[in-house]
Amino acid sequence: MASNPVVWFEIPTQDIARARAFYEAVLGVALTRADTSAFAPTTEVWMFPMDENLPGCGGALVQGPENPVGPGGSLVYFACDDCGVEAERVARAGGAIESPKEAIGEYGFCVIARDPDGNRFGLHSMR
């Protein structure tokens, strides 16, 4: 493999405004709306910040008929300086903690949470 296996992620939502507010509040970032009018006119997409010169992948929140919402599915991990900090923001932003911050040996720490749509996501840090 010439690159990391994950190149993009999408988190489906039934309420794009609520999902955007949730992830912006928890992660302390601003999402950017993508123009999908030419290829997916019934889908709304808000992209997470990304720098193509840094490692990792980009991704987005998506709302549309081709993006069903529900528990299970993919699990996306967001990088954090200290995942406990972002975990403290989850409930205030409308989500829930499924598994609190725990050590995962030499791989650092992680938290498993749910967003307001019930999507599971992870928070990861080395401290």
Side-chain angles (χ1 to χ4, degrees):
M1 229 181 261
S3 66
N4 291 323
V6 177
V7 297
W8 183 254
F9 65 85
E10 292 181 348
I11 301 173
T13 180
Q14 293 177 342
D15 185 336
I16 197 86
R18 179 187 67 192
R20 177 180 168 212
F22 174 80
Y23 283 102
E24 286 180 336
V26 170
L27 300 175
V29 299
L31 279 65
T32 305
R33 187 165 186 176
D35 180 4
T36 59
S37 59
F39 58 89
T42 60
T43 299
E44 188 171 341
V45 176
W46 283 84
M47 298 183 304
F48 288 88
M50 179 186 162
D51 182 337
E52 293 180 13
N53 298 312
L54 295 175
C57 72
L61 298 172
V62 294
Q63 179 180 345
E66 300 299 319
N67 305 92
V69 173
S74 299
L75 182 58
V76 176
Y77 283 83
F78 293 98
C80 307
D81 287 330
D82 178 347
C83 61
V85 172
E86 285 79 2
E88 291 176 6
R89 300 176 187 156
V90 169
R92 289 192 311 260
I97 298 295
E98 186 173 300
S99 175
K101 183 178 178 180
E102 64 181 327
I104 51 174
E106 67 183 279
Y107 303 106
F109 299 85
C110 72
V111 172
I112 304 298
R114 289 193 182 265
D115 71 12
D117 281 303
N119 294 306
R120 294 173 74 224
F121 68 96
L123 300 167
H124 175 266
S125 64
M126 290 307 294
R127 59 182 179 123

